[in-house]
Amino acid sequence: MALADYLRPKRLILVGTAGSMWDVFFEQQDASDDDMLDLLIEAVHESRVDAAMLSIQEERLTKNLGLPVICRLISYARDAAEQTKVLLTLAELVHRGEKVFLDVTHGFRHLPMLALVAARYLAHVKDVKVGGLYYGALEMTPTNGETPVLQLDGMLQMLDWVESLATYNKDGDYGVFAPLLQQDGLPEDKAKQLTRAAYFERSSNPVKARETLGSVFSAIKTHNGPMGALFRDALTERINWFSGLDRAAWELALADAYLERRDYVRAVIYLYESLVTRAVLERKFNPNDFSQRNEAWKDAKQGNNQVKNLEYLRNSLAHGIKSDNAKIKNLVIDENRLAAELKKFRHDLFD
């Protein structure tokens, strides 16, 4: 209730089990008459509080507090089925787009862990913003004679980073880290550079991606924000492809990364471009000159069927062109065969 006084919410949702201390709470709020309180005490003792008992208290408490109050029973969350039901109950109670504050003070010790999951679940399923996660630590050493109230928001931020790592591992877009780094103290201009670099990489422009990454990499590598320090090494490892010796090496590193993520379109594009760049560099041409790249590629594929097949596969995946080559046709309709063939191209043409 002290937290409610502090936050001044538009409505209050109280959840508890059939054996939670509803009787103590309602008595403290002067929201129960003696007869009802006796019934509640007995029901709490026997873990059989029901929705009808709580409904009566809702009305009295709403009147006393001057804001809508909802009292809802939840299970003990003893297994996956019960834990799932708790999340579904919370999703039913909150409104889409609301700002929600969670207080896990008076609950079983496993419920704060479930609350973390609930915070992330509600953010994705109901588009709510979790404004805070609070825990009143009664047994912790008091500060100035007052019981400490801990904000566990840092755990939510950690989950944001973990989710971003998972997103990056899935699609390779390290731009998802930009707002997190900025929130963690990285200058805005550096965060924007990271977003730009990710865009250039994913739009098949490794030269601009490398140039942009080079301007922000050192700032990320030395960033010491509380969250950034925790995830810095994992992030810099993932964007370190640009340190290769030449453009062919950058493109090959990107091909390997996208192949590992099963992003076959980008994998084959970068594999193809790396082979072209290598042919250009061997002839001491300009790798950024389209006509010279074209000329070098024509020379490289003369009499080399495997190089030609890589080009056919690239055209088929990148442009949606149905190849006349039966082998290529069979590859694009079978993911396992496609992945195996790309790895074979990688081994035969580059190792």
Side-chain angles (χ1 to χ4, degrees):
M1 293 312 300
L3 185 60
D5 289 340
Y6 173 73
L7 294 174
R8 305 241 178 229
K10 292 183 178 178
R11 61 197 185 103
L12 180 63
I13 299 173
L14 302 168
V15 295
T17 67
S20 292
M21 294 189 294
W22 297 100
D23 52 339
V24 176
F25 175 75
F26 291 130
E27 183 181 25
Q28 289 179 340
Q29 303 310 313
D30 192 26
S32 183
D33 58 38
D34 291 341
D35 291 339
M36 181 55 66
L37 185 60
D38 289 340
L39 291 174
L40 264 176
I41 291 173
E42 184 178 346
V44 167
H45 181 70
E46 298 174 0
S47 295
R48 57 175 179 80
V49 174
D50 59 31
M53 294 177 181
L54 296 183
S55 178
I56 297 172
Q57 310 306 320
E58 278 182 351
E59 297 177 10
R60 297 171 67 96
L61 196 55
T62 293
K63 183 177 180 181
N64 287 359
L65 297 179
L67 78 161
V69 177
I70 297 173
C71 297
R72 185 63 58 91
L73 286 173
I74 59 171
S75 68
Y76 287 92
R78 289 167 289 201
D79 54 31
E82 289 190 354
Q83 291 153 15
T84 299
K85 192 170 183 180
V86 172
L87 297 190
L88 290 173
T89 298
L90 295 179
E92 292 172 359
L93 292 171
V94 302
H95 301 153
R96 183 168 295 278
E98 272 190 319
K99 188 174 185 180
V100 176
F101 297 86
L102 300 174
D103 175 16
V104 297
T105 301
H106 299 285
F108 291 115
R109 292 185 179 183
H110 67 299
L111 290 182
M113 291 184 284
L114 188 58
L116 281 173
V117 179
R120 188 58 71 240
Y121 175 75
L122 294 174
H124 288 304
V125 173
K126 298 300 288 281
D127 194 30
V128 305
K129 176 177 175 56
V130 178
L133 182 60
Y134 295 87
Y135 174 69
L138 179 62
E139 296 180 359
M140 189 175 287
T141 303
T143 302
N144 298 325
E146 295 181 346
T147 298
V149 177
L150 309 182
Q151 276 195 264
L152 307 180
D153 301 7
M155 296 182 187
L156 297 176
Q157 294 171 25
M158 291 176 194
L159 288 179
D160 288 337
W161 279 85
V162 170
E163 279 194 357
S164 294
L165 280 173
T167 296
Y168 172 81
N169 289 338
K170 178 66 169 64
D171 62 21
D173 181 7
Y174 43 79
V176 295
F177 295 108
L180 298 177
L181 283 165
Q182 187 177 339
Q183 182 183 0
D184 199 49
L186 188 74
E188 182 181 0
D189 62 321
K190 295 298 183 182
K192 287 183 177 179
Q193 288 293 85
L194 187 64
T195 302
R196 291 183 70 239
Y199 165 73
F200 287 133
E201 178 189 314
R202 293 171 60 75
S203 57
S204 304
N205 192 341
V207 176
K208 287 294 293 182
R210 180 180 185 272
E211 175 187 315
T212 311
L213 269 180
S215 69
V216 70
F217 186 80
S218 61
I220 295 174
K221 193 173 179 64
T222 58
H223 177 63
N224 285 315
M227 294 297 160
L230 186 62
F231 292 92
R232 180 182 57 217
D233 291 346
L235 175 55
T236 53
E237 178 185 347
R238 284 161 171 77
I239 62 176
N240 198 36
W241 61 263
F242 78 98
S243 63
L245 294 177
D246 54 39
R247 177 170 171 172
W250 314 333
E251 290 164 335
L252 185 57
L254 288 171
D256 289 340
Y258 282 111
L259 181 55
E260 186 176 346
R261 296 184 199 107
R262 297 162 60 191
D263 186 339
Y264 303 114
V265 176
R266 288 190 173 91
V268 76
I269 287 174
Y270 275 118
L271 203 61
Y272 170 88
E273 293 299 333
S274 181
L275 202 58
V276 174
T277 300
R278 188 178 69 181
V280 170
L281 294 175
E282 286 173 351
R283 290 159 179 76
K284 300 191 184 308
F285 289 171
N286 179 1
N288 299 318
D289 185 292
F290 176 79
S291 62
Q292 292 187 32
R293 291 179 70 84
N294 194 42
E295 181 182 343
W297 180 246
K298 286 180 180 178
D299 291 342
K301 66 182 179 180
Q302 288 297 324
N304 191 327
N305 288 332
Q306 196 169 24
V307 172
K308 290 179 182 178
N309 283 336
L310 177 61
E311 182 177 40
Y312 297 151
L313 180 57
R314 179 255 191 187
N315 290 341
S316 183
L317 290 178
H319 303 301
I321 299 172
K322 292 184 179 179
S323 176
D324 294 331
N325 186 306
K327 179 179 179 180
I328 300 302
K329 280 184 179 179
N330 290 330
L331 285 178
V332 297
I333 61 173
D334 187 324
E335 180 181 356
N336 291 331
R337 291 183 62 186
L338 174 62
E341 191 66 20
L342 281 171
K343 290 177 182 177
K344 190 174 187 306
F345 280 131
R346 170 66 172 86
H347 178 270
D348 293 348
L349 295 175
F350 291 92
D351 288 346

